């Protein structure tokens, strides 16, 4: 059983990292449920892309089951429309508006759990952390997969998915937490039928961000990468419940092995 050490004077007890991975992010919810059942709740969250969507709603006070229900019922990911390929193949029409309706908090400061959300500033090439100010627009920017989605403008700068530079933002938690739990939802398996631009764009992005996670997972006290996620695409909504269960089962198994 893990116990907090009196010798350590970390700012937070448990820090949780939630990676990007499109609709595979439903697995984050299963993991969070498993953690709660072991009386483990994040004291701080670092997130990117799909992880920022889950992280914002969880830090806002919703349970994993409630988040699964609202995301599938409200069809947040369905508020998309194809665009003339200028800055992105798909517009995130209605995404921010719908997310604002789901959130009680308007700003990061209103959340019950401190949250870090990462995006890439396309103008300056900087990996940018948002943890204050307007919440929904930052989450939208963090979730805008390059080429597939159009960049998001914030203060006259264009931002895109933080996973482009680092899909596993653990560094912001280092030295601040007594333990770090990392969740990656972007495993890579064999992919056939690469027969259209969207699928090729997805695969290219996945190949790029995979190395970020492998280089950083050793920084975690517990690293969770749910088995079977490579059977699901980045933008598939139909398997939400199955993906949730994959996250839950893998987390339960690893938590038990850890003795927490």
């Amino acid at each position: 059983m893990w116990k907090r050490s009196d010798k350590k004077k970390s700012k937070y007890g448990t820090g949780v990292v939630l990676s990007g991975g499109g609709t595979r992010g439903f697995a984050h919810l299963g993991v969070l449920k498993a953690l709660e059942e072991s009386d483990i709740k994040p004291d701080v969250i670092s997130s990117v892309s799909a992880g920022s969507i889950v992280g914002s709603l969880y830090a806002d006070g919703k349970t994993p089951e409630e988040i699964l229900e609202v995301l599938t019922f409200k069809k947040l990911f369905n508020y998309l429309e194809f665009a003339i390929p200028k800055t992105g193949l798909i517009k995130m029409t209605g995404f921010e508006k719908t997310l604002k309706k789901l959130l009680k908090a308007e700003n990061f400061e209103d959340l019950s759990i401190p949250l870090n959300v990462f995006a890439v500033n396309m103008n300056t090439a900087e990996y940018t952390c948002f943890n204050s100010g307007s919440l929904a627009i930052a989450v939208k920017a963090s979730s805008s997969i390059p080429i597939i989605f159009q960049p998001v403008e914030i203060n006259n700068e264009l931002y895109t998915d933080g996973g482009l530079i680092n899909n596993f933002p653990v560094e912001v938690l280092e030295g601040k937490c007594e333990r770090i739990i990392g969740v990656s939802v972007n495993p890579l398996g064999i992919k056939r039928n690469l027969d259209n631009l969207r699928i090729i764009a997805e695969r290219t992005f996945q190949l790029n961000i995979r190395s970020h996670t492998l280089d950083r997972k050793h920084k975690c006290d517990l690293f969770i990468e749910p088995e079977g996620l490579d059977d699901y695409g980045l933008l598939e909504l139909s398997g939400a419940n199955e993906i949730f269960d994959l996250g839950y089962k893998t987390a339960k198994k690893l938590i038990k092995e850890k003795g927490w």
Side-chain angles (χ1 to χ4, degrees):
M1 179 70 67
W2 178 86
K3 294 182 180 180
R4 179 172 294 186
S5 172
D6 293 331
K7 296 180 180 179
K8 296 183 179 180
K9 295 182 180 180
S10 301
K11 184 175 182 179
Y12 303 106
T14 299
V16 172
V17 183
L18 302 177
S19 80
T23 49
R24 294 174 177 182
F26 286 113
H28 286 315
L29 298 171
V31 171
L32 289 169
K33 178 183 178 182
L35 291 174
E36 286 187 352
E37 290 180 352
S38 294
D39 199 27
I40 301 170
K41 287 206 69 174
D43 296 300
V44 61
I45 298 171
S46 180
S47 62
V48 65
S49 196
S52 71
I53 298 173
V54 170
S56 64
L57 292 167
Y58 190 75
D60 197 45
K62 288 183 171 57
T63 68
E65 293 90 346
E66 286 173 340
I67 298 170
L68 177 65
E69 181 178 358
V70 297
L71 288 184
T72 52
F73 177 74
K74 293 288 186 180
K75 294 180 172 55
L76 179 63
F77 294 98
N78 277 1
Y79 284 91
L80 310 171
E81 65 180 30
F82 285 94
I84 297 174
K86 183 178 180 181
T87 57
L89 295 175
I90 303 173
K91 294 180 180 179
M92 299 179 79
T93 305
F95 181 97
E96 183 183 352
K97 182 179 179 181
T98 304
L99 185 59
K100 284 181 177 179
K101 290 181 179 179
L102 297 177
L103 291 165
K104 297 190 298 289
E106 291 185 10
N107 299 308
F108 282 88
E109 292 85 353
D110 303 323
L111 296 170
S112 58
I113 301 172
L115 176 70
N116 298 284
V117 168
F118 287 87
V120 175
N121 185 319
M122 296 291 284
N123 299 102
T124 65
E126 293 177 314
Y127 191 57
T128 304
C129 178
F130 293 93
N131 52 27
S132 64
S134 182
L135 178 60
I137 188 69
V139 173
K140 180 182 177 181
S142 180
S143 305
S144 298
I145 301 172
I147 302 176
I148 297 176
F149 297 126
Q150 296 181 332
V152 175
E153 184 175 336
I154 301 176
N155 297 327
N156 298 318
E157 303 281 349
L158 291 178
Y159 290 88
T160 192
D161 196 309
L164 183 63
I165 288 180
N166 180 1
N167 197 48
F168 196 71
V170 65
E171 288 83 358
V172 71
L173 302 183
E174 286 188 282
K176 298 178 182 178
C177 302
E178 294 182 17
R179 62 175 171 180
I180 297 175
I181 299 171
V183 189
S184 170
V185 295
N186 192 57
L188 277 182
I190 296 173
K191 185 72 174 180
R192 307 294 183 189
N193 302 320
L194 297 169
D195 54 4
N196 69 59
L197 182 58
R198 182 184 62 80
I199 293 175
I200 292 173
E202 283 186 17
R203 186 66 169 178
T204 301
F205 186 61
Q206 288 176 302
L207 289 167
N208 176 62
I209 66 178
R210 178 61 175 163
S211 62
H212 309 159
T213 302
L214 296 177
D215 291 342
R216 293 170 169 85
K217 69 178 185 178
H218 70 278
K219 298 176 183 289
C220 301
D221 297 284
L222 177 62
F223 178 77
I224 302 171
E225 188 170 69
E227 302 168 359
L229 289 181
D230 50 336
D231 291 333
Y232 298 87
L234 285 177
L235 299 175
E236 291 181 18
L237 272 172
S238 59
N241 289 287
E242 292 87 347
I243 293 171
F244 180 99
D245 289 339
L246 290 174
Y248 176 78
K249 290 175 182 177
T250 300
K252 290 290 283 188
K253 174 185 174 184
L254 294 178
I255 293 168
K256 182 178 180 181
E257 291 176 358
K258 199 75 174 177
W260 289 354

